[in-house]
Amino acid sequence: MMDLPRTDYDTPFNITRTSHVVLTVKDLDASRQFYTEVIGLVVTADEGDTLYLRGIEEACHHSLVLRRSGDTPTCARVGMRVLRDQDLDRLKAFFESRGCATAWAEVPHQGRTLQATDVAGVPLEFCATMPVVPRMITQFHLHKGGAAARIDDTQILVPDVRKATEFYMAAGFWLSEYISPLQSSELAGVFLQRKGNPHDIVFFSGRGPRLHHAAFTSPESVNIIKACDVAGTLGFGSGVERGPGRHGPGHAFFVYFRDPDGHRVELFNTHYQAMDIEVEPVRWDPGDAARMTPWGLPAQRKWFAEATPFAGVAQSDPPRAGDPMTLEKFLAKQSVV
Amino acid sequence: MMDLPRTDYDTPFNITRTSHVVLTVKDLDASRQFYTEVIGLVVTADEGDTLYLRGIEEACHHSLVLRRSGDTPTCARVGMRVLRDQDLDRLKAFFESRGCATAWAEVPHQGRTLQATDVAGVPLEFCATMPVVPRMITQFHLHKGGAAARIDDTQILVPDVRKATEFYMAAGFWLSEYISPLQSSELAGVFLQRKGNPHDIVFFSGRGPRLHHAAFTSPESVNIIKACDVAGTLGFGSGVERGPGRHGPGHAFFVYFRDPDGHRVELFNTHYQAMDIEVEPVRWDPGDAARMTPWGLPAQRKWFAEATPFAGVAQSDPPRAGDPMTLEKFLAKQSVV
Amino acid sequence: MMDLPRTDYDTPFNITRTSHVVLTVKDLDASRQFYTEVIGLVVTADEGDTLYLRGIEEACHHSLVLRRSGDTPTCARVGMRVLRDQDLDRLKAFFESRGCATAWAEVPHQGRTLQATDVAGVPLEFCATMPVVPRMITQFHLHKGGAAARIDDTQILVPDVRKATEFYMAAGFWLSEYISPLQSSELAGVFLQRKGNPHDIVFFSGRGPRLHHAAFTSPESVNIIKACDVAGTLGFGSGVERGPGRHGPGHAFFVYFRDPDGHRVELFNTHYQAMDIEVEPVRWDPGDAARMTPWGLPAQRKWFAEATPFAGVAQSDPPRAGDPMTLEKFLAKQSVV
Amino acid sequence: MMDLPRTDYDTPFNITRTSHVVLTVKDLDASRQFYTEVIGLVVTADEGDTLYLRGIEEACHHSLVLRRSGDTPTCARVGMRVLRDQDLDRLKAFFESRGCATAWAEVPHQGRTLQATDVAGVPLEFCATMPVVPRMITQFHLHKGGAAARIDDTQILVPDVRKATEFYMAAGFWLSEYISPLQSSELAGVFLQRKGNPHDIVFFSGRGPRLHHAAFTSPESVNIIKACDVAGTLGFGSGVERGPGRHGPGHAFFVYFRDPDGHRVELFNTHYQAMDIEVEPVRWDPGDAARMTPWGLPAQRKWFAEATPFAGVAQSDPPRAGDPMTLEKFLAKQSVV
């Protein structure tokens, strides 16, 4: 029996969902074309050096923030929502009790915002509100490419998956699925969620912390194919890094793109509702290639090796360097191209 | 400014979602064929006079229960989930404080179950758990018809929508959208939710309480069309009562079927995430036919007039019989076929 | 045994397919928006008072020509292709041998063009070539609305279906399907084709000749739904006259729109290949509503009654006015809304 | 200007389309499961050691014949249709005038059948008729996996593409697209067609003759994805050899499977109508990887190297062994995995 961390269902604060990602990019025009034409996000505000985008169903101001920078492209911050402003104060206490740095911040187009670093070094920010803007869900003539509907989750590489898992489950996250070799208690990957589907934040073992990707949902499979097709036509075709394919864990139909700065973004659909307490987390054996990748080509090696650094955050390798559970190593068991 | 009831965000119990519907039917074989081949539910258990079905992504034992009965087909009960068993005791107190009858019940294939009648007379039941069964989401070769993924919501006709709305918002439900004539404070329809999309329970003005329909999600638009096509091939084609079409309120792509006993079931997709506190409920003017039904034929009159009685529950008409806000009347403004 | 006309497989000319339709419209801007945004045609040339459009897979210059006119909107001409220029001379002889008027014409953006009137009074034109323009099939970012791929066929109301059928089958057309009441030899509707799918020109009994509609194919079902959705958003929603639904005859998934001038246009997919000589024409009984319209609402009465006149062409009613086989009458047997 | 062979539009016979493929397999049960559950063909007849299958829209008896054999799996024959029986006699004369062997054959479930070997050594057979069976196109509840609608084309490796091209164009085939390096007159690949879409028979340079694959159309993109998903669930997932992806030449959305005996089969949609004489063949430069494969991973090497032998037919390499135009070599310019 696997010894898994346990969710604290009685936290005094309510984190509701993953909210947004802040990335730096070198060429804002190229990024804008990629994210609007291929991914299908819509622009809420263009403020010169910063572009705010959201999915077609989102009424919030932004789920992706792109900031122009001449430096190495990074992820500045991962954003999450809490239900009410008062949750922020309680959340601040939670972080501090764990020895994690916090700070109040003034962030444009967000309500009161708490910035904090999690136990793995990931720079987060939390707010309860954003300005409300119109959902574009029925502006069908304006939908483009993948018609990205909303942000769903982020995937993050960390050297100690169990440590991150314990932290987030103490903060009220549910563990929906996890990857762990048979006859081992190692956690190679975990899918953690708050909003009632399988994932808000996903951790995989690897040098980190680094942002592996941000994931947006597409309404239908054909939107995902259209994103690829538009990528091909507009010159972004070489950025289709993995898929379209079907995930074992999480069951999603997916495709991964690299954006013009190399940031990775996933479009997917076919997740499932997960809000019943009796359902145990699903375990996946990384050595079972046929279940991990039910069909099609495995990911290219770079899909495992490359990721976006967090701005100014030191990285480290998994603590036991010879550990077979690092992302790259366990997946090497599959016939990686 | 519309005077709307307010959600109580601090209820001592946590209702998580709509869970199941219990219907009586005359011919269990005919119903089984309809719900498996056309709607695409899967059978969890066949116990002679009772059939338990669930959607392809559901790990819970049932979201639809069909009981054979020679009497007039009815809805026996609408089921909802709470997070933990301890929520049931607190919920019992809530109902009793409002003068609503409650009782503990032994219900097969459910955890401890609280049965209660809401302020509108709707027979409900609540439980925290069900036996866990395999999700069929990746058993692609077994998916049929509409490939119904999970139960989403029920729609119920009641004579006093505001009264029901106040009750459910006091129980923690959010109001996502509502139908109310301009320059009026009447509520003709409300969309109430707990699980973070637009609807768990929907009330419309009309003779009631009666169950207008239960709604299941389909993964993609083509599944909804396939449900119609299978209905046509298998002799259920005349049961396609409304659509396929696009709803104004809620934005869903939908179709409504009448099952062999006349119970109405909706398949839909294209809902949206709704879990941010700053988003105000969306108001719809029932007289604005072009927004209420953006394209295509309006519903047939019987879609408005006919519904399933609740077993043993007295019905009444909207209190002000001449009120133009009854479902049938306000929708008559649209060019109902 | 039904006494059907026979195809002449040895005609000295080769008509290959339906090619284009020429319509007059009052407001070219409104028509342009409708046909590009909703139907998804692309503009090849805008010459002030005339707009030339084509489908996204078409390499020919036009499949729809819209001419501005202040008069009653009409269909000026239905166009067909022959394989080679030399076919035109032989085709001219065919028409003249049947007492049908012909004339050579200079038509912009078409090769040598033969204009001719068929036995039912329909103004046709034939050419072997058009200027070649780029297929837009992989310009995915420019696809809109229904993404109409190519013209497929026209449907025409005529007072004598058998007479038209004999004429076209003598010209080499194949009869793929037909509508005829049981125990009758009346032809109420015929599907005639040259290009190897079920239809290039369809005749139905009714006052005529009048153009009932032109039909374009859409790549996928979702394109047809998107056409409806864009129509709804852009204010053309009331023009969704019939469907989306499934035809019995021909098996197409379809929707019918009325354009801003009332011309009717169909989008459909799911046709089939038909080029094997051993396959007998399929007979449909108009009284068998469940097979004619497998599911969903029947057509509105206006779908049967209204059609576009041909410019300057006299109309007449079916010769036997009391005949139950007129389009309107036999279809009245179905529960027309 | 490329010196291409020319189509003879005045052949005294009429080949209408690719009709069927005859393969030998080791385990008829495994093949049956693969072709019915994954590809979605339906069984017309099971005669013990021979299985006859067809697509869901096909009214002909078979488009795929599987024969049990303990030997190395081979392709026994590629079938084509002619319009009328009398075409067979004229076609016999054509083959003989080119020095190609012919023979009349009694073939079960086919009309009078002419067997002949083409100039490249491919064993062909031609017939005008087959027994008519019901189209399954509207038996929606029976559609499975990729819902293969009909056979479309075969692709064949030959050592001399130009020679094969000249032969087939003399037999009336149209050249729709071809692959040829810039500043060269080499033909590395040709798409030849009779039925009015881009391909009935495709030749690529390589050791041969060998059958590279048979291609079937799927109604919609989601059917192609479903074929992959069913393959994954039923244990055929490792047979997804290439794609899903988008072809440059031909524009198809496609996937390639290897069946249980290693025979390759393609499912695709998004072809286009091609029956206008003024449209010149489209030239593709094999060195232009971005246009040849607009997005996604390139094919695995085995996709280029492996193919099915024809029963009892000697193979040879391309005549100029150092020629950079062999399939494997020119495609090596692309970043083949």
Side-chain angles (χ1 to χ4, degrees):
Chain A
M1 182 60 191
M2 184 77 180
D3 173 37
L4 292 170
R6 290 283 158 194
T7 297
D8 182 351
Y9 297 111
D10 297 306
T11 57
F13 49 85
N14 183 351
I15 300 172
T16 56
R17 64 178 183 92
T18 282
S19 161
H20 59 281
V21 175
V22 185
L23 303 174
T24 66
V25 301
K26 295 206 169 187
D27 180 343
L28 211 44
D29 290 339
S31 297
R32 181 186 182 127
Q33 188 189 25
F34 174 79
Y35 281 104
T36 59
E37 296 289 331
V38 176
I39 303 301
L41 295 172
V42 293
V43 174
T44 302
D46 180 348
E47 302 183 348
D49 283 341
T50 307
L51 199 61
Y52 295 88
L53 301 111
R54 70 188 192 280
I56 61 169
E57 80 172 45
E58 291 182 313
C60 58
H61 186 272
H62 52 265
S63 53
L64 178 65
V65 182
L66 301 178
R67 291 187 194 149
R68 194 195 321 267
S69 165
D71 298 330
T72 300
T74 60
C75 175
R77 211 157 277 277
V78 170
M80 292 183 179
R81 282 292 192 97
V82 294
L83 182 61
R84 290 181 287 185
D85 263 4
Q86 65 211 58
D87 291 296
L88 295 174
D89 303 286
R90 299 167 185 164
L91 191 57
K92 188 167 188 291
F94 173 83
F95 272 87
E96 289 171 355
S97 73
R98 304 259 164 172
C100 295
T102 67
W104 295 110
E106 290 287 325
V107 180
H109 311 298
Q110 293 178 194
R112 192 163 68 119
T113 298
L114 175 71
Q115 295 188 331
T117 301
D118 76 9
V119 73
V122 180
L124 304 168
E125 67 183 21
F126 298 86
C127 64
T129 61
M130 284 190 189
V132 175
V133 290
R135 297 188 201 278
M136 302 296 278
I137 195 169
T138 58
Q139 299 297 300
F140 297 99
H141 60 305
L142 302 180
H143 296 177
K144 295 181 173 183
R150 58 172 177 75
I151 195 168
D152 186 82
D153 62 271
T154 58
Q155 182 168 321
I156 292 170
L157 299 180
V158 292
D160 189 341
V161 171
R162 180 171 288 272
K163 185 175 165 194
T165 306
E166 286 168 349
F167 179 85
Y168 280 87
M169 292 182 80
F173 283 72
W174 294 36
L175 179 64
S176 56
E177 309 199 2
Y178 63 102
I179 300 171
S180 179
L182 290 181
Q183 298 164 319
S184 160
S185 64
E186 301 294 334
L187 287 175
V190 294
F191 298 74
L192 296 161
Q193 63 98 354
R194 281 292 303 165
K195 71 179 169 302
N197 80 352
H199 23 53
D200 276 290
I201 192 162
V202 176
F203 290 101
F204 269 68
S205 177
R207 180 170 181 80
R210 292 182 295 160
L211 177 69
H212 186 269
H213 69 264
F216 293 82
T217 62
S218 277
E220 311 225 352
S221 307
V222 292
N223 301 115
I224 291 172
I225 297 163
K226 181 160 183 177
C228 296
D229 279 330
V230 171
T233 301
L234 296 184
F236 297 106
S238 63
V240 179
E241 189 185 56
R242 183 182 178 187
R246 174 73 59 187
H247 282 309
H251 305 317
F253 180 70
F254 70 87
V255 69
Y256 291 93
F257 295 93
R258 300 296 286 272
D259 83 359
D261 290 273
H263 301 304
R264 189 180 288 107
V265 59
E266 182 187 18
L267 287 176
F268 77 97
N269 65 359
T270 332
H271 49 148
Y272 57 88
Q273 187 169 278
M275 50 183 69
D276 300 336
I277 208 166
E278 73 270 24
V279 179
E280 291 295 322
V282 179
R283 183 176 190 163
W284 296 84
D285 173 19
D288 185 353
R291 288 187 70 234
M292 292 292 289
T293 302
W295 53 262
L297 299 184
Q300 299 178 79
R301 179 161 297 278
K302 65 181 177 181
W303 185 87
F304 297 115
E306 297 175 8
T308 295
F310 288 106
V313 176
Q315 297 171 15
S316 60
D317 284 308
R320 293 153 298 175
D323 189 311
M325 286 313 101
T326 61
L327 178 65
E328 194 170 352
K329 291 188 179 175
F330 87 73
L331 286 160
K333 293 180 185 174
Q334 301 179 43
S335 57
V336 177
V337 176
Chain B
M1 183 61 191
M2 185 76 181
D3 173 37
L4 292 170
R6 292 282 157 193
T7 296
D8 182 351
Y9 297 110
D10 297 307
T11 57
F13 49 83
N14 183 352
I15 300 172
T16 56
R17 63 177 184 93
T18 282
S19 161
H20 59 282
V21 176
V22 185
L23 303 175
T24 66
V25 301
K26 296 205 168 187
D27 179 344
L28 211 45
D29 291 338
S31 297
R32 180 186 182 126
Q33 187 188 27
F34 174 79
Y35 281 104
T36 58
E37 296 289 331
V38 176
I39 302 302
L41 295 173
V42 293
V43 174
T44 302
D46 180 347
E47 302 184 348
D49 282 341
T50 308
L51 200 62
Y52 296 87
L53 302 112
R54 68 188 195 279
I56 60 169
E57 79 173 44
E58 291 181 313
C60 58
H61 185 273
H62 52 265
S63 54
L64 178 65
V65 182
L66 302 178
R67 290 188 194 147
R68 194 196 320 265
S69 165
D71 299 330
T72 301
T74 60
C75 176
R77 212 158 275 277
V78 170
M80 292 183 179
R81 281 293 192 97
V82 294
L83 181 61
R84 291 182 286 187
D85 263 4
Q86 64 211 59
D87 291 296
L88 295 173
D89 304 284
R90 300 167 186 164
L91 191 57
K92 188 167 189 290
F94 172 84
F95 273 86
E96 289 170 355
S97 74
R98 303 258 163 174
C100 294
T102 67
W104 296 110
E106 290 289 325
V107 180
H109 311 297
Q110 294 179 194
R112 191 164 68 119
T113 297
L114 174 70
Q115 296 188 332
T117 302
D118 76 8
V119 72
V122 179
L124 303 169
E125 68 183 20
F126 298 86
C127 63
T129 62
M130 283 189 190
V132 175
V133 290
R135 297 188 200 278
M136 302 296 278
I137 193 168
T138 58
Q139 298 298 301
F140 297 100
H141 59 305
L142 302 180
H143 295 177
K144 295 181 173 184
R150 59 172 176 75
I151 195 168
D152 186 81
D153 62 88
T154 57
Q155 181 168 321
I156 292 169
L157 300 180
V158 291
D160 188 341
V161 171
R162 179 171 289 271
K163 185 175 166 194
T165 306
E166 285 168 350
F167 179 85
Y168 279 88
M169 292 182 79
F173 282 72
W174 295 35
L175 179 64
S176 57
E177 309 200 4
Y178 62 101
I179 299 170
S180 178
L182 291 180
Q183 298 164 320
S184 160
S185 63
E186 301 294 334
L187 288 175
V190 295
F191 298 74
L192 296 161
Q193 63 100 353
R194 281 292 303 165
K195 73 178 166 302
N197 81 351
H199 23 53
D200 276 291
I201 191 163
V202 176
F203 290 102
F204 268 67
S205 178
R207 180 170 182 80
R210 292 182 295 160
L211 176 68
H212 187 268
H213 69 265
F216 294 82
T217 62
S218 277
E220 312 227 351
S221 307
V222 293
N223 301 115
I224 291 171
I225 297 164
K226 180 159 182 176
C228 295
D229 279 331
V230 171
T233 301
L234 295 184
F236 297 107
S238 64
V240 179
E241 188 185 57
R242 182 182 179 188
R246 174 73 61 187
H247 281 309
H251 305 317
F253 180 70
F254 69 87
V255 69
Y256 291 93
F257 294 92
R258 300 296 287 272
D259 84 358
D261 290 273
H263 301 304
R264 189 181 289 107
V265 58
E266 182 187 18
L267 286 175
F268 77 97
N269 67 358
T270 334
H271 51 148
Y272 58 88
Q273 187 170 276
M275 50 182 69
D276 302 335
I277 207 166
E278 73 271 22
V279 179
E280 292 294 322
V282 179
R283 182 176 190 164
W284 296 85
D285 173 18
D288 186 353
R291 288 186 70 234
M292 293 291 289
T293 302
W295 52 263
L297 299 185
Q300 300 177 78
R301 179 161 297 281
K302 66 182 177 182
W303 185 87
F304 298 115
E306 298 175 8
T308 293
F310 288 106
V313 176
Q315 298 171 14
S316 60
D317 285 307
R320 291 151 299 172
D323 188 311
M325 287 313 101
T326 61
L327 177 66
E328 193 171 352
K329 290 188 179 175
F330 85 73
L331 286 159
K333 295 179 184 175
Q334 302 179 42
S335 56
V336 178
V337 176
Chain C
M1 181 59 191
M2 184 77 180
D3 172 38
L4 291 171
R6 290 284 158 192
T7 296
D8 181 353
Y9 296 111
D10 296 307
T11 57
F13 49 84
N14 183 351
I15 299 172
T16 56
R17 64 179 183 91
T18 281
S19 160
H20 59 281
V21 175
V22 185
L23 302 175
T24 66
V25 301
K26 296 205 168 187
D27 180 343
L28 212 44
D29 291 338
S31 296
R32 181 185 183 127
Q33 187 189 26
F34 174 79
Y35 281 105
T36 59
E37 296 289 331
V38 176
I39 304 300
L41 295 172
V42 294
V43 174
T44 301
D46 181 346
E47 302 183 348
D49 282 342
T50 308
L51 200 61
Y52 296 88
L53 302 113
R54 69 187 193 281
I56 60 168
E57 79 173 46
E58 291 183 312
C60 57
H61 185 273
H62 52 265
S63 52
L64 179 65
V65 183
L66 301 178
R67 291 187 193 149
R68 193 194 322 266
S69 165
D71 299 330
T72 300
T74 61
C75 176
R77 212 158 274 279
V78 170
M80 292 183 179
R81 281 294 192 96
V82 294
L83 181 61
R84 289 181 289 185
D85 262 5
Q86 64 210 59
D87 291 297
L88 295 174
D89 303 286
R90 299 166 185 165
L91 191 57
K92 189 168 189 289
F94 173 84
F95 274 86
E96 289 171 356
S97 74
R98 304 260 164 172
C100 294
T102 67
W104 297 108
E106 290 288 324
V107 180
H109 312 297
Q110 294 179 193
R112 191 163 68 117
T113 298
L114 174 70
Q115 295 188 332
T117 301
D118 76 9
V119 73
V122 179
L124 303 169
E125 67 183 19
F126 298 87
C127 63
T129 63
M130 282 188 190
V132 175
V133 291
R135 296 189 202 277
M136 302 296 279
I137 193 168
T138 58
Q139 298 298 301
F140 297 99
H141 60 304
L142 302 180
H143 296 177
K144 294 180 174 185
R150 58 172 177 76
I151 194 168
D152 187 82
D153 62 88
T154 57
Q155 181 167 322
I156 293 170
L157 300 179
V158 292
D160 189 341
V161 171
R162 181 172 286 272
K163 186 176 165 193
T165 306
E166 287 168 348
F167 179 86
Y168 279 87
M169 292 182 80
F173 282 72
W174 294 37
L175 179 64
S176 56
E177 309 200 4
Y178 62 101
I179 299 170
S180 178
L182 291 180
Q183 298 166 318
S184 158
S185 63
E186 301 294 335
L187 288 175
V190 294
F191 298 75
L192 296 161
Q193 64 98 355
R194 281 292 304 164
K195 71 177 169 302
N197 82 350
H199 22 52
D200 276 291
I201 192 162
V202 176
F203 290 102
F204 269 68
S205 178
R207 180 171 181 79
R210 291 183 296 160
L211 176 70
H212 187 268
H213 69 267
F216 294 82
T217 62
S218 277
E220 312 226 351
S221 307
V222 291
N223 300 115
I224 291 171
I225 296 164
K226 180 159 183 177
C228 296
D229 279 330
V230 171
T233 302
L234 296 184
F236 296 107
S238 63
V240 179
E241 189 186 55
R242 183 182 178 189
R246 174 74 58 187
H247 282 309
H251 305 315
F253 180 70
F254 70 87
V255 69
Y256 291 93
F257 294 93
R258 301 296 288 272
D259 84 359
D261 290 273
H263 301 305
R264 188 179 288 107
V265 58
E266 182 186 17
L267 286 176
F268 77 98
N269 66 359
T270 333
H271 50 147
Y272 58 88
Q273 188 170 276
M275 49 182 69
D276 301 335
I277 207 166
E278 73 269 23
V279 180
E280 293 294 322
V282 179
R283 182 176 190 163
W284 296 85
D285 173 19
D288 185 352
R291 289 186 69 233
M292 293 291 289
T293 301
W295 52 263
L297 298 185
Q300 299 178 79
R301 179 161 295 279
K302 65 181 177 181
W303 185 88
F304 298 114
E306 298 175 8
T308 294
F310 289 106
V313 176
Q315 298 171 15
S316 60
D317 284 309
R320 292 153 299 176
D323 189 309
M325 286 314 100
T326 59
L327 177 67
E328 193 170 352
K329 288 187 180 176
F330 87 72
L331 286 161
K333 294 178 184 174
Q334 300 179 43
S335 57
V336 178
V337 176
Chain D
M1 182 60 192
M2 184 76 182
D3 173 37
L4 291 171
R6 291 282 158 195
T7 296
D8 181 352
Y9 297 111
D10 296 307
T11 57
F13 49 83
N14 183 351
I15 299 172
T16 56
R17 63 179 184 91
T18 282
S19 161
H20 60 282
V21 176
V22 184
L23 303 174
T24 66
V25 301
K26 296 205 169 187
D27 180 343
L28 212 44
D29 290 338
S31 297
R32 181 187 182 125
Q33 188 188 27
F34 174 79
Y35 282 104
T36 58
E37 294 290 329
V38 176
I39 303 301
L41 295 173
V42 293
V43 174
T44 302
D46 181 346
E47 302 183 348
D49 282 342
T50 308
L51 199 61
Y52 296 88
L53 302 112
R54 67 188 195 280
I56 59 168
E57 80 173 44
E58 291 182 313
C60 58
H61 185 272
H62 53 265
S63 53
L64 179 65
V65 182
L66 301 178
R67 290 187 195 149
R68 193 195 322 265
S69 165
D71 299 330
T72 300
T74 61
C75 176
R77 213 158 275 277
V78 170
M80 291 185 180
R81 280 293 191 97
V82 294
L83 181 61
R84 290 181 287 185
D85 262 4
Q86 64 209 60
D87 292 295
L88 295 174
D89 303 286
R90 299 167 186 165
L91 191 58
K92 188 167 189 291
F94 173 84
F95 273 87
E96 290 171 355
S97 73
R98 304 259 163 172
C100 294
T102 67
W104 296 109
E106 291 287 326
V107 180
H109 311 299
Q110 293 179 195
R112 191 164 67 119
T113 297
L114 174 70
Q115 295 188 332
T117 302
D118 76 9
V119 73
V122 179
L124 303 169
E125 68 183 19
F126 297 86
C127 63
T129 62
M130 282 188 190
V132 176
V133 289
R135 297 188 201 278
M136 302 296 278
I137 193 169
T138 57
Q139 298 298 301
F140 297 100
H141 59 305
L142 302 179
H143 296 178
K144 294 180 173 183
R150 59 172 176 76
I151 194 168
D152 186 82
D153 62 88
T154 58
Q155 181 167 322
I156 293 169
L157 300 180
V158 292
D160 189 341
V161 170
R162 180 172 289 273
K163 186 176 165 193
T165 306
E166 286 167 349
F167 179 85
Y168 279 87
M169 293 182 79
F173 283 73
W174 295 37
L175 179 64
S176 57
E177 310 201 3
Y178 63 101
I179 298 171
S180 179
L182 291 180
Q183 299 166 317
S184 159
S185 62
E186 301 294 335
L187 287 175
V190 295
F191 298 74
L192 296 160
Q193 63 98 353
R194 281 293 302 165
K195 71 178 168 301
N197 82 350
H199 22 52
D200 276 291
I201 191 162
V202 176
F203 291 102
F204 268 68
S205 178
R207 181 171 181 79
R210 291 182 295 161
L211 176 69
H212 187 268
H213 69 264
F216 294 81
T217 62
S218 276
E220 312 227 351
S221 307
V222 292
N223 301 115
I224 291 171
I225 297 163
K226 180 160 183 176
C228 296
D229 280 330
V230 171
T233 301
L234 295 184
F236 297 106
S238 63
V240 179
E241 189 186 55
R242 183 181 178 189
R246 174 74 59 187
H247 282 308
H251 305 317
F253 180 71
F254 70 89
V255 70
Y256 291 93
F257 295 92
R258 301 296 286 273
D259 83 359
D261 289 273
H263 301 304
R264 190 180 286 108
V265 60
E266 182 187 16
L267 286 176
F268 78 97
N269 66 359
T270 333
H271 50 147
Y272 58 87
Q273 187 169 277
M275 49 181 70
D276 301 335
I277 207 166
E278 73 270 23
V279 180
E280 293 294 324
V282 178
R283 183 176 189 163
W284 296 85
D285 173 20
D288 185 353
R291 289 185 70 233
M292 292 292 288
T293 302
W295 52 263
L297 298 185
Q300 299 177 79
R301 179 161 298 279
K302 65 181 177 180
W303 185 86
F304 298 115
E306 299 175 7
T308 294
F310 288 106
V313 177
Q315 298 172 14
S316 61
D317 284 309
R320 292 153 299 176
D323 189 312
M325 286 314 100
T326 59
L327 177 67
E328 194 171 351
K329 289 189 180 175
F330 86 73
L331 286 161
K333 294 179 184 174
Q334 301 179 42
S335 57
V336 178
V337 176

